[in-house]
Amino acid sequence: MPVTALVSAKSCGVTASALALTLASRRPSLLAECDPAGGTIRAGYLQGQVTAGYGLYHLAAAERTSTDALANAFASHLWPMDGAGHRKLLAGLTDPAQAAALVRTWPALSEVLHVLADEAGYDVLIDAGRLALSSGRLHTTLSPAPLIHQADLVLLVVRGTEQSLTLARHVIDPLCSELEESGTGADALGLLLIEDGPYRAHQVAEALKTPVLAALPWDPDTANYLTSGGRPPRGVGRGPLLRHARTATEQFEAVASRRSIQQQYPPRPVSPHLAGVLRRLDEGRGGSRG
Ligand SMILES: Nc1ncnc2c1ncn2[C@@H]1O[C@H](COP(=O)(O)OP(=O)(O)O)[C@@H](O)[C@H]1O
Ligand SMILES: [Mg+2]
């Protein structure tokens, strides 16, 4: 299954969309909340259930110890978002000042996420937050650049509004060059359209010269629940946002598998230490709190 990174030019629905895709996927799924500006899911959707003792920040210290320690920490820092533990969260940073410590952790974390996607069939979604560029390149501390480079798909989340398109226009070229030079190619980039505003998918694709890989409806009730938590709206699972998110995950899977066939990637070699992450997840350490 693909590793899909979601980014934006300016806050417009990355976290709500990533959560919707994770909750709606038909497959086991994992959301890695890797926005260097800090995570919002603990205090929002999960309403403080995940303490600061869990999450992304703890992987930095583990990675400095060994790859094996990182694999161990990864498995034990996942938070189950459902009773069966099929949907897992790696909760984000509680303080943006922690981001600097993650710079050397991103490449190893990227490998772990690919192991989960390639070997265990997880749909892996990465909330990579707002893109931070510096001299036309991804900023090394303010963007999780290695995760974006290595993702099978990079989704720039946009709304169909003039404001959103105006800002998105400026990040497309640098992002394409970056994916061409340091990633798996510029064709990893696609748009995820949030249907707010007058512009339809074909107009957005034309304006930004980038394909719209999926669209999510404007659904304030569900989005608000995903952003702030609390009582779910009635029939949330069958509501417009999660229904379309389910279809979107299928569309991403189809695009990513087409890409991988065209590119004929050599299979990624999996370090034996990282392969152990799957065993640890099977042992249920990551799913014992559901
Ligand atoms: N599909 C949607 N329909 C309606 N509102 C949305 C949708 N997606 C996001 N929002 C709203 O947009 C705001 C920003 O969402 P969020 O996911 O936190 O953005 P980001 O992670 O890009 O900063 C929130 O108020 C959220 O409820
Ligand atoms: Mg966010």
Side-chain angles (χ1 to χ4, degrees), residues 109-159:
L109 176 60
S110 176
E111 271 196 69
V112 173
L113 296 177
H114 280 281
V115 168
L116 226 65
D118 299 346
E119 311 288 319
Y122 272 72
D123 236 341
V124 175
L125 283 309
I126 300 171
D127 177 343
R130 185 182 73 81
L131 285 170
L133 296 165
S134 157
S135 310
R137 303 279 312 185
L138 285 175
H139 193 286
T140 49
T141 311
L142 301 178
S143 268
L147 296 182
I148 296 171
H149 295 157
Q150 293 308 316
D152 299 308
L153 291 178
V154 178
L155 300 177
L156 179 65
V157 182
V158 294
R159 295 189 182 189

Coordinates of all heavy atoms in Angstrom, one line a residue, residues 109-159:
L109 N 12.7 7.0 10.1 CA 11.3 6.8 10.3 C 10.6 6.5 8.9 O 9.7 5.7 8.8 CB 10.7 8.1 10.9 CG 9.2 8.1 11.0 CD1 8.7 7.0 11.9 CD2 8.7 9.5 11.5
S110 N 11.1 7.2 7.9 CA 10.6 6.9 6.5 C 10.7 5.5 6.2 O 9.8 4.8 5.7 CB 11.4 7.8 5.5 OG 10.9 7.5 4.2
E111 N 11.9 4.9 6.5 CA 12.1 3.5 6.2 C 11.1 2.6 6.9 O 10.5 1.7 6.4 CB 13.5 3.0 6.6 CG 14.6 3.2 5.6 CD 15.8 2.4 6.0 OE1 15.7 1.2 5.9 OE2 16.8 3.0 6.3
V112 N 10.9 2.9 8.2 CA 9.9 2.1 9.0 C 8.5 2.2 8.4 O 7.8 1.2 8.3 CB 9.9 2.7 10.5 CG1 8.8 2.0 11.3 CG2 11.2 2.4 11.2
L113 N 8.1 3.4 8.0 CA 6.8 3.6 7.4 C 6.7 2.8 6.1 O 5.6 2.2 5.8 CB 6.5 5.1 7.2 CG 6.5 6.0 8.4 CD1 6.2 7.4 8.1 CD2 5.4 5.5 9.4
H114 N 7.7 2.8 5.3 CA 7.7 2.0 4.1 C 7.6 0.5 4.4 O 7.0 -0.3 3.6 CB 8.8 2.3 3.2 CG 8.6 3.6 2.4 ND1 7.8 3.6 1.3 CD2 9.0 4.9 2.6 CE1 7.7 4.9 0.8 NE2 8.4 5.7 1.6
V115 N 8.3 0.0 5.4 CA 8.2 -1.4 5.8 C 6.7 -1.7 6.1 O 6.2 -2.7 5.6 CB 9.1 -1.7 7.0 CG1 8.8 -3.1 7.6 CG2 10.5 -1.6 6.7
L116 N 6.1 -0.9 6.8 CA 4.7 -1.1 7.2 C 3.8 -1.1 6.0 O 2.9 -2.0 5.9 CB 4.2 0.1 8.1 CG 3.5 -0.4 9.4 CD1 4.4 -1.2 10.3 CD2 3.0 0.9 10.1
A117 N 4.0 -0.2 5.0 CA 3.2 -0.2 3.8 C 3.5 -1.3 2.9 O 2.6 -2.0 2.4 CB 3.5 1.2 3.1
D118 N 4.8 -1.6 2.7 CA 5.2 -2.6 1.7 C 5.0 -4.0 2.2 O 4.6 -4.9 1.4 CB 6.6 -2.4 1.2 CG 6.9 -1.0 0.6 OD1 5.9 -0.3 0.3 OD2 8.0 -0.6 0.4
E119 N 5.4 -4.2 3.4 CA 5.4 -5.6 3.9 C 4.2 -6.0 4.7 O 3.8 -7.2 4.7 CB 6.6 -5.8 4.9 CG 8.0 -5.3 4.4 CD 8.5 -6.2 3.3 OE1 8.4 -7.4 3.4 OE2 9.0 -5.6 2.3
A120 N 3.5 -5.0 5.3 CA 2.3 -5.4 6.1 C 1.0 -4.8 5.5 O -0.1 -5.0 6.1 CB 2.5 -4.9 7.5
G121 N 1.1 -4.2 4.3 CA -0.1 -3.7 3.7 C -0.9 -2.6 4.3 O -2.1 -2.4 4.2
Y122 N -0.2 -1.8 5.1 CA -0.8 -0.7 5.8 C -1.0 0.5 4.8 O -0.1 0.7 3.9 CB 0.0 -0.1 6.9 CG -0.3 -0.8 8.3 CD1 0.1 -2.1 8.5 CD2 -0.9 -0.1 9.3 CE1 -0.1 -2.7 9.7 CE2 -1.2 -0.7 10.5 CZ -0.8 -2.0 10.7 OH -1.1 -2.6 11.9
D123 N -2.1 1.2 4.9 CA -2.2 2.5 4.2 C -1.5 3.5 5.2 O -2.0 3.6 6.3 CB -3.7 2.9 4.2 CG -4.2 3.1 2.8 OD1 -3.3 3.4 1.9 OD2 -5.4 3.1 2.6
V124 N -0.4 4.1 4.7 CA 0.3 5.0 5.6 C 0.1 6.4 5.2 O 0.3 6.8 4.0 CB 1.8 4.7 5.7 CG1 2.6 5.7 6.5 CG2 2.0 3.2 6.2
L125 N -0.4 7.2 6.1 CA -0.7 8.7 5.8 C 0.2 9.5 6.6 O 0.4 9.2 7.8 CB -2.1 9.0 6.1 CG -3.3 8.6 5.2 CD1 -3.0 9.0 3.7 CD2 -3.6 7.2 5.3
I126 N 0.9 10.4 6.0 CA 1.8 11.3 6.8 C 1.2 12.7 6.8 O 1.0 13.3 5.7 CB 3.2 11.3 6.2 CG1 3.8 9.9 6.2 CG2 4.1 12.3 6.9 CD1 5.1 9.8 5.4
D127 N 1.0 13.3 7.9 CA 0.6 14.7 8.0 C 1.9 15.5 8.1 O 2.6 15.5 9.1 CB -0.2 15.0 9.3 CG -0.6 16.4 9.4 OD1 0.0 17.3 8.8 OD2 -1.5 16.7 10.2
A128 N 2.3 16.1 6.9 CA 3.6 16.8 6.9 C 3.4 18.3 7.0 O 4.4 19.1 6.9 CB 4.4 16.4 5.6
G129 N 2.2 18.7 7.3 CA 2.0 20.1 7.6 C 2.1 21.1 6.5 O 2.1 20.7 5.3
R130 N 2.3 22.3 6.8 CA 2.5 23.4 5.8 C 4.0 23.3 5.3 O 4.9 23.1 6.1 CB 2.3 24.7 6.5 CG 2.3 25.9 5.6 CD 2.2 27.2 6.3 NE 3.3 27.6 7.1 CZ 4.4 28.2 6.6 NH1 4.5 28.5 5.3 NH2 5.5 28.4 7.3
L131 N 4.1 23.4 4.0 CA 5.4 23.4 3.4 C 6.2 24.6 3.8 O 5.7 25.7 3.7 CB 5.3 23.3 1.9 CG 4.9 22.1 1.2 CD1 4.6 22.3 -0.2 CD2 6.0 21.0 1.4
A132 N 7.4 24.4 4.3 CA 8.3 25.5 4.6 C 9.5 25.4 3.6 O 10.2 24.4 3.5 CB 8.8 25.4 6.0
L133 N 9.6 26.5 2.8 CA 10.7 26.5 1.7 C 11.7 27.6 2.1 O 11.3 28.6 2.7 CB 10.1 26.9 0.4 CG 9.1 25.8 -0.2 CD1 8.3 26.4 -1.3 CD2 9.8 24.6 -0.7
S134 N 12.9 27.3 1.8 CA 14.0 28.3 2.0 C 14.9 28.2 0.8 O 15.4 27.1 0.4 CB 14.7 27.9 3.3 OG 16.0 28.4 3.3
S135 N 15.1 29.3 0.1 CA 15.8 29.4 -1.2 C 15.3 28.3 -2.1 O 16.1 27.6 -2.8 CB 17.3 29.2 -0.9 OG 17.7 30.1 0.1
G136 N 14.0 28.2 -2.2 CA 13.5 27.2 -3.2 C 13.6 25.8 -2.9 O 13.2 24.9 -3.7
R137 N 14.1 25.5 -1.7 CA 14.2 24.0 -1.3 C 13.4 23.9 0.0 O 13.1 24.8 0.7 CB 15.7 23.7 -0.9 CG 16.7 23.9 -2.0 CD 16.7 22.8 -3.0 NE 16.8 21.5 -2.4 CZ 16.9 20.4 -3.1 NH1 17.0 20.4 -4.4 NH2 17.0 19.2 -2.5
L138 N 13.0 22.6 0.3 CA 12.3 22.3 1.5 C 13.2 22.7 2.7 O 14.4 22.3 2.7 CB 11.9 20.9 1.6 CG 10.7 20.4 0.8 CD1 10.5 18.9 0.9 CD2 9.5 21.2 1.2
H139 N 12.7 23.4 3.7 CA 13.5 23.7 4.8 C 13.8 22.5 5.6 O 12.9 21.7 5.9 CB 12.7 24.7 5.7 CG 13.5 25.4 6.7 ND1 13.9 24.8 7.9 CD2 14.0 26.7 6.8 CE1 14.6 25.6 8.6 NE2 14.7 26.8 8.0
T140 N 15.0 22.3 6.1 CA 15.4 21.0 6.7 C 14.9 20.9 8.1 O 14.8 19.7 8.6 CB 17.0 20.9 6.7 OG1 17.5 22.1 7.2 CG2 17.5 20.6 5.3
T141 N 14.6 21.9 8.8 CA 14.0 21.8 10.1 C 12.5 22.0 10.1 O 11.8 21.3 10.9 CB 14.6 22.8 11.1 OG1 16.0 22.8 11.0 CG2 14.2 22.5 12.6
L142 N 12.0 22.9 9.3 CA 10.6 23.2 9.4 C 9.7 22.4 8.5 O 8.5 22.5 8.4 CB 10.4 24.7 9.0 CG 11.2 25.6 10.0 CD1 11.0 27.1 9.6 CD2 10.8 25.5 11.4
S143 N 10.3 21.5 7.7 CA 9.6 20.5 6.9 C 10.2 19.1 7.1 O 11.5 19.0 7.1 CB 9.6 20.8 5.4 OG 8.5 21.6 5.0
P144 N 9.5 18.0 7.2 CA 10.1 16.7 7.3 C 10.5 16.2 5.9 O 9.9 15.3 5.3 CB 8.9 15.9 7.9 CG 7.7 16.5 7.4 CD 8.0 18.0 7.2
A145 N 11.5 16.9 5.3 CA 11.9 16.7 3.9 C 12.1 15.2 3.5 O 11.5 14.8 2.5 CB 13.1 17.6 3.6
P146 N 12.8 14.4 4.3 CA 13.0 13.0 3.8 C 11.7 12.2 3.7 O 11.6 11.4 2.8 CB 13.9 12.5 4.9 CG 14.6 13.7 5.5 CD 13.6 14.7 5.5
L147 N 10.7 12.5 4.6 CA 9.5 11.8 4.5 C 8.8 12.2 3.2 O 8.1 11.4 2.5 CB 8.5 12.2 5.6 CG 9.0 11.8 7.0 CD1 7.9 12.2 8.0 CD2 9.3 10.3 7.1
I148 N 8.9 13.5 2.8 CA 8.2 14.0 1.6 C 8.9 13.4 0.3 O 8.3 12.9 -0.6 CB 8.2 15.5 1.6 CG1 7.3 16.0 2.7 CG2 7.7 16.1 0.2 CD1 7.4 17.5 3.0
H149 N 10.3 13.4 0.4 CA 11.0 12.8 -0.7 C 10.7 11.4 -1.0 O 10.5 11.0 -2.1 CB 12.5 12.9 -0.4 CG 13.1 14.3 -0.3 ND1 14.2 14.5 0.4 CD2 12.7 15.4 -0.8 CE1 14.5 15.8 0.3 NE2 13.5 16.4 -0.4
Q150 N 10.6 10.6 0.1 CA 10.4 9.1 -0.1 C 9.0 8.7 -0.3 O 8.7 7.5 -0.6 CB 11.1 8.4 1.1 CG 12.6 8.6 1.2 CD 13.3 8.2 -0.2 OE1 12.9 7.2 -0.8 NE2 14.2 9.0 -0.6
A151 N 8.0 9.6 0.0 CA 6.6 9.1 -0.1 C 6.3 8.7 -1.5 O 6.8 9.2 -2.5 CB 5.7 10.3 0.3
D152 N 5.4 7.7 -1.6 CA 5.0 7.2 -2.9 C 4.1 8.3 -3.6 O 4.1 8.4 -4.8 CB 4.2 5.9 -2.8 CG 5.0 4.8 -2.1 OD1 6.1 4.6 -2.7 OD2 4.6 4.2 -1.1
L153 N 3.3 9.0 -2.8 CA 2.5 10.1 -3.3 C 2.6 11.3 -2.4 O 2.6 11.1 -1.2 CB 1.0 9.7 -3.4 CG 0.6 8.7 -4.4 CD1 -0.9 8.4 -4.2 CD2 0.9 9.1 -5.8
V154 N 2.7 12.4 -3.0 CA 2.7 13.7 -2.2 C 1.5 14.5 -2.6 O 1.3 14.8 -3.8 CB 4.0 14.5 -2.4 CG1 4.0 15.8 -1.6 CG2 5.3 13.7 -2.1
L155 N 0.6 14.7 -1.6 CA -0.7 15.4 -2.0 C -0.6 16.8 -1.4 O -0.5 17.0 -0.2 CB -1.8 14.7 -1.3 CG -2.1 13.2 -1.7 CD1 -3.2 12.6 -0.9 CD2 -2.4 13.1 -3.2
L156 N -0.7 17.7 -2.4 CA -0.8 19.1 -1.9 C -2.3 19.4 -1.7 O -3.1 19.2 -2.7 CB -0.2 20.0 -3.0 CG -0.3 21.5 -2.7 CD1 0.6 21.9 -1.5 CD2 0.2 22.3 -3.9
V157 N -2.7 19.6 -0.5 CA -4.1 19.9 -0.2 C -4.4 21.3 -0.5 O -3.7 22.2 -0.1 CB -4.4 19.6 1.3 CG1 -5.9 19.8 1.6 CG2 -3.9 18.2 1.7
V158 N -5.5 21.5 -1.4 CA -5.9 22.8 -1.8 C -7.4 22.9 -1.6 O -8.1 21.9 -1.7 CB -5.5 23.2 -3.2 CG1 -4.0 23.3 -3.4 CG2 -6.1 22.2 -4.2
R159 N -7.9 24.1 -1.5 CA -9.3 24.4 -1.6 C -9.6 25.0 -3.0 O -8.7 25.6 -3.6 CB -9.8 25.3 -0.5 CG -9.6 24.7 0.9 CD -10.3 25.5 1.9 NE -10.1 24.9 3.2 CZ -10.7 25.3 4.3 NH1 -11.5 26.3 4.3 NH2 -10.5 24.7 5.5

